[in-house]
Amino acid sequence: LGLSRCWTLAFRPRFFMRSPPEALPRLPSISRRWSLKFAAQNAVRVLLVVTSISQLSGSVFWPLRGHVFSCIVACRSHSDIGKSCSRGRCGRPGVVAVSAARAEEVVPHGASDFAERWREEALRCWAQDESGTAPGYVAEMMEPSVLTGGSGAKVHADRRFQRAPVGTQRSTVAWQGSGFLYKDIRQHFQCLSSAGGAVADLGCGNAVVARQLAKDQLFDRVYGLDIARDMLERAQSSAEEEGLGPEEGLRLLRGDILKLPFREQSLSAAFWGMGLHLLPNPQAALDGIFSSLRPGGRLVLTSNIGYSQKRARTMLEAAGFSDLSFAMAPHLHARAVKPK
């Protein structure tokens, strides 16, 4: 029935418009009367097309939505390599050197994302054995001076990532913050997804953003970094419930944002949530993030609502970022790009 309607309205439009002339309102101009008639015809055609498509979509298109979406994403990811990004609201050039980005990984399991002194720890925690599984420890990448004494000391033993048995129903990522915030993070980072690479959730807490990024598979490697060991253990437990381990690209590590363990130009993107106002010297942290990002890399950061937008802009520009944009709902939300 839907196909017959489409065929009829395409090739026999007058079949639906056999109203007598007196049925139309009398207007002083003949041209206006014909314009009204054609407008009515077009309205009827659009209504019938929408009705037909809605009938077909329920029985034909809806069951195939997953396959169609996968094909579209695959085609767009191949066509976007070497071109400008047209996804999301950014409209910025995407990463072009996808082969160069992956050729840099001469050290397996993403250990080349870190400085030389931390690569052994990365391999200890995330290297896969013969069966293809990784220990999934929370990596310790803190300076010895920070680890001595106080609440920052290492008091917890390593615990392997405990993957749920096959067939176990897994929970999904529970986004406890603002849905608008993660939507904006995704749109800002989506330009880089065709090139893979690494993203860091700095000051991750229970790593809700890192877990969502790993689930969406926008990047090859997702690092959740925090200085609090207890928060990282909560993040590890939540990742185990969701089935997000090193094999899915999620790696948790303990580190200091003022002394990031990443090597220069190793990250494609970074997110720093609600930490700018907590540091006495946030400029040093922004300088380290800028150094860790590749040219064209992106940064999204948030702070409390009382933080000055002017001050944040001054610090980001001093660090070297460009293409700055800000929002103040419900808190300070900034986006920045490292120039190429």
Side-chain angles (χ1 to χ4, degrees), residues 228-251:
R229 181 79 186 196
D230 55 344
M231 294 301 298
L232 290 170
E233 290 185 346
R234 292 174 57 183
Q236 187 181 31
S237 300
S238 299
E240 290 172 347
E241 295 177 1
E242 296 155 3
L244 299 172
E247 291 83 2
E248 288 74 27
L250 179 62
R251 294 98 185 267

Side-chain angles (χ1 to χ4, degrees), residues 93-327:
V95 172
V96 177
V98 56
S99 58
R102 291 180 176 165
E104 290 180 359
E105 291 190 37
V106 295
V107 182
H109 312 296
S112 60
D113 292 333
F114 298 92
E116 186 68 30
R117 62 176 302 181
W118 302 117
R119 291 185 180 181
E120 183 178 351
E121 176 69 5
L123 292 174
R124 183 186 73 87
C125 297
W126 306 316
Q128 297 180 0
D129 55 17
E130 293 79 2
S131 61
T133 59
Y137 301 134
V138 176
E140 285 284 356
M141 298 187 180
M142 298 276 290
E143 297 292 341
S145 58
V146 181
L147 287 175
T148 56
S151 60
K154 179 179 178 181
V155 296
H156 302 280
D158 286 331
R159 182 170 67 84
R160 292 182 65 94
F161 180 82
Q162 301 174 3
R163 185 174 298 277
V166 179
T168 304
Q169 185 176 2
R170 297 172 177 174
S171 60
T172 56
V173 175
W175 177 247
Q176 300 174 355
S178 170
F180 162 77
L181 174 61
Y182 182 74
K183 181 180 178 181
D184 194 82
I185 294 171
R186 181 184 175 90
Q187 289 177 340
H188 193 58
F189 289 168
Q190 205 168 15
C191 301
L192 308 176
S193 61
S194 61
V199 60
D201 181 7
L202 305 174
C204 64
N206 63 349
V208 62
V209 173
R211 288 184 279 126
Q212 187 66 59
L213 288 171
K215 181 181 178 182
D216 291 345
Q217 297 182 351
L218 293 179
F219 300 89
D220 296 333
R221 300 172 305 283
V222 180
Y223 299 108
L225 181 145
D226 201 283
I227 198 171
R229 181 79 186 196
D230 55 344
M231 294 301 298
L232 290 170
E233 290 185 346
R234 292 174 57 183
Q236 187 181 31
S237 300
S238 299
E240 290 172 347
E241 295 177 1
E242 296 155 3
L244 299 172
E247 291 83 2
E248 288 74 27
L250 179 62
R251 294 98 185 267
L252 301 176
L253 60 139
R254 189 178 181 211
D256 187 358
I257 194 170
L258 294 176
K259 297 180 180 180
L260 292 175
F262 305 105
R263 66 172 176 84
E264 294 185 359
Q265 301 185 7
S266 60
L267 299 177
S268 298
F271 171 72
W272 187 15
M274 303 303 291
L276 189 67
H277 57 281
L278 300 178
L279 298 179
N281 184 19
Q283 185 65 59
L286 291 175
D287 293 340
I289 297 172
F290 183 86
S291 177
S292 299
L293 287 173
R294 294 173 178 169
R298 298 174 180 273
L299 168 66
V300 175
L301 63 86
T302 61
S303 184
N304 62 3
I305 195 170
Y307 204 85
S308 171
Q309 176 178 328
K310 180 179 180 180
R311 183 183 178 189
R313 178 183 295 274
T314 301
M315 290 190 299
L316 287 169
E317 292 178 346
F321 288 100
S322 62
D323 296 336
L324 307 181
S325 61
F326 295 86

Side-chain angles (χ1 to χ4, degrees), residues 60-75:
V60 179
F61 297 143
W62 184 252
L64 300 178
R65 66 192 185 281
H67 301 287
V68 173
F69 179 76
S70 300
C71 294
I72 293 174
V73 171
C75 293

